[in-house]
Amino acid sequence: MTLTLYNTLTRAKAPFQPIDASNVRMYVCGPTVYDFVHIGNGRPVIVFDTLFRLLRHLYGAGHVTYARNITDVDDKINARAARDYPGLALNDAIARLTEETTRQYQADCAGLGALEPTIEPRATAHLPEMARLCEQLVAKGHAYVAEGHVLFDVASMADYGGLSGRPLDEMEAGARVEVAPYKKGPMDFVLWKPSKPGEPAWPSPCGIATPGRPGWHIECSAMAGKHLGDTFDIHGGGVDLVFPHHENEVAQSRCAHGTPGMANVWMHNGFLQVEGEKMSKSLGNFITINELIASDKFGGQRWPGKVCRMAMLGTQYRSPIDWTVERLAQSRATLMEFADICHGVTASVPDPEFLAALCDDLNTPSALSILHGIAKSAKRGNREAAGALKASLQLMGLYDNETRAEMAAGQPQVTVDAVHVEALIAARLAARKAKDYKEGDRLRDELTALGIMIKDAKDAATGEFVTTWEVRS
Ligand code: AMP
Ligand code: ZN
């Protein structure tokens, strides 16, 4: 079976050919650990876990190395640590905060059905590697020292901008931010910077006397280089990372190692959105993974992690997703149906058509619709189909020994606001009267998501449609 992947670098889909089939290597940019992460951050976790599982299936579990880093040095971390642990020295406060948040992040990932990556390198454990990269880049004429900073000299790299496809002169013309006076070129970026008093600090490279700290991009170049080598197979993250983060990673790694590429395939997931806008901390339109799984803050129900995973995989990873209660309710219903079929069945092997869909640039919606067909056949008593369904769901991380218990525990605790329900029903009847069936269906979905079942009937006396409702048991 040939795996085909879309590559941001070439803007095309191509068959995947690992550098070394006995050790397929993938790096994905992980979180900055200062708070609970939101479900938008969960998208790369689920997408690249699905790819990790597929690669393990194709090449053997012991032949795939997956590194996902933890960014534990950042201004947001410093500010949050000082605020949350005022009694502690800043370094101790930072250690406490990043340890706790990392643990929480790992619990969230496990909740979403993600396997542990092979390695989870932390930035603060790679300061010597980052310093060495700075030294190499200065020695090779790709970086310079200015006022306690080490800066990457963008003009020294002829094909800078290749990943994001932005010509340098256009980027320079568009650089609206005030350019620091010590920069040679407006697009030059920080590899190392001086620490202000009270900030975390490490011995600086390149003969700089004052202690400092690394820039953002250098940490991923250092960690990827150390754990996966100068050139590796796949580099992933959200589409917001293409520029500047990944562009600058490529520049650093290629120029330091003298290689034509950093990763052969660059993959980027699309945004998870709320009403058409990217879910993000700064917009305040976010829901954390922890809140989805453990509270009823979203749509008045708890959503088991595998339901969230199913909801995420219902869309191909490069397209945007709107995160709605309806989507989750539908995913819950499907997963419950699938889980009931799988119960007590021996898993066989994943269905070949399903596998082919996954191998087509992770076409998970197509893979799931194939599983719907298989489930239908299994429900008609086809045991072979049930075995294939179970193996396929296991491969996608949607079914394990816990799934049925998780689904039962996650059953909606429906608290009904009868006035709201009646209002929705009235709105639906009005929509249907106006022949706006799309709106009518949408309102029915909204009621379903609230755990309400409705029944339409014609009133024999008046000939009018009436709708009765009950809480789904
Ligand atoms: P951050 O901590 O913001 O750097 O994000 C960690 C990872 O989550 C990166 O790969 C981001 O691209 C990704 N990410 C952040 N927000 C979203 C979102 N709304 N949808 C999809 N991916 C996101
Ligand atoms: Zn990164």
Side-chain angles (χ1 to χ4, degrees), residues 242-258:
V242 176
F243 188 87
H245 186 51
H246 288 167
E247 192 72 79
N248 292 348
E249 273 188 45
V250 176
Q252 295 161 165
S253 294
R254 281 186 49 201
C255 291
H257 303 133

Side-chain angles (χ1 to χ4, degrees), residues 140 206 220 244 403:
K140 292 186 175 183
C206 310
C220 286
T403 305

Side-chain angles (χ1 to χ4, degrees), residues 16-326:
F16 173 66
Q17 277 173 333
I19 299 166
D20 172 5
S22 72
N23 184 18
V24 181
R25 288 159 288 155
M26 172 164 79
Y27 185 93
V28 172
C29 293
T32 306
V33 281
Y34 67 100
D35 203 349
F36 285 97
V37 296
H38 59 67
I39 189 67
N41 302 127
R43 192 164 190 196
V45 172
I46 292 170
V47 164
F48 293 104
D49 176 68
T50 306
L51 180 56
F52 181 40
R53 287 167 179 272
L54 180 60
L55 291 169
R56 285 160 57 101
H57 179 80
L58 297 173
Y59 294 94
H63 299 293
V64 185
T65 305
Y66 172 23
R68 186 183 61 209
N69 73 290
I70 299 282
T71 296
D72 58 354
V73 46
D74 183 86
D75 286 343
K76 289 193 281 277
I77 295 176
N78 303 343
R80 182 60 71 97
R83 192 193 83 182
D84 287 2
Y85 302 98
L88 292 183
L90 186 63
N91 276 350
D92 296 335
I94 288 173
R96 273 279 285 279
L97 175 73
T98 54
E99 266 167 39
E100 273 170 28
T101 320
T102 301
R103 235 189 333 261
Q104 182 58 51
Y105 175 72
Q106 288 165 338
D108 288 346
C109 293
L112 294 174
L115 299 172
E116 281 177 27
T118 325
I119 325 163
E120 277 192 284
R122 286 182 305 117
T124 51
H126 295 77
L127 266 301
E129 286 81 2
M130 295 184 216
R132 201 167 316 127
L133 275 180
C134 290
E135 306 263 4
Q136 284 171 333
L137 287 166
V138 170
K140 292 186 175 183
H142 288 294
Y144 56 94
V145 174
E147 296 187 19
H149 296 73
V150 184
L151 293 144
F152 187 89
D153 183 357
V154 166
S156 74
M157 184 184 187
D159 55 352
Y160 178 83
L163 179 67
S164 56
R166 301 172 179 212
L168 186 57
D169 49 354
E170 264 176 37
M171 284 195 269
E172 285 182 350
R176 262 179 256 134
V177 281
E178 217 173 284
V179 179
Y182 48 79
K183 283 191 182 179
K184 282 204 234 167
M187 298 307 294
D188 293 356
F189 58 89
V190 167
L191 305 175
W192 190 267
K193 57 190 168 189
S195 295
K196 297 190 191 84
E199 285 179 348
W202 290 267
S204 293
C206 310
I208 299 168
T210 47
R213 58 202 175 111
W216 171 29
H217 320 301
I218 194 86
E219 59 174 78
C220 286
S221 284
M223 288 185 272
K226 172 161 183 190
H227 298 287
L228 303 182
D230 294 352
T231 308
F232 52 94
D233 297 297
I234 299 171
H235 194 316
V239 67
D240 51 338
L241 299 186
V242 176
F243 188 87
H245 186 51
H246 288 167
E247 192 72 79
N248 292 348
E249 273 188 45
V250 176
Q252 295 161 165
S253 294
R254 281 186 49 201
C255 291
H257 303 133
T259 46
M262 181 187 184
N264 285 345
V265 183
W266 287 81
M267 294 176 67
H268 294 98
N269 65 266
F271 286 140
L272 182 140
Q273 306 178 326
V274 185
E275 288 169 3
E277 270 197 294
K278 179 192 175 193
M279 181 179 281
S280 72
K281 274 258 156 76
S282 54
L283 287 173
N285 61 350
F286 66 93
I287 176 102
T288 67
I289 296 167
N290 184 255
E291 286 169 334
L292 281 166
I293 296 177
S295 84
D296 60 1
K297 241 183 119 173
F298 197 72
Q301 299 172 34
R302 291 194 287 137
W303 302 102
K306 290 202 184 64
V307 171
C308 297
R309 184 178 180 102
M310 180 85 151
M312 199 78 87
L313 295 177
T315 299
Q316 208 266 353
Y317 74 92
R318 288 194 281 131
S319 305
I321 294 186
D322 246 324
W323 196 250
T324 60
V325 173
E326 287 77 14

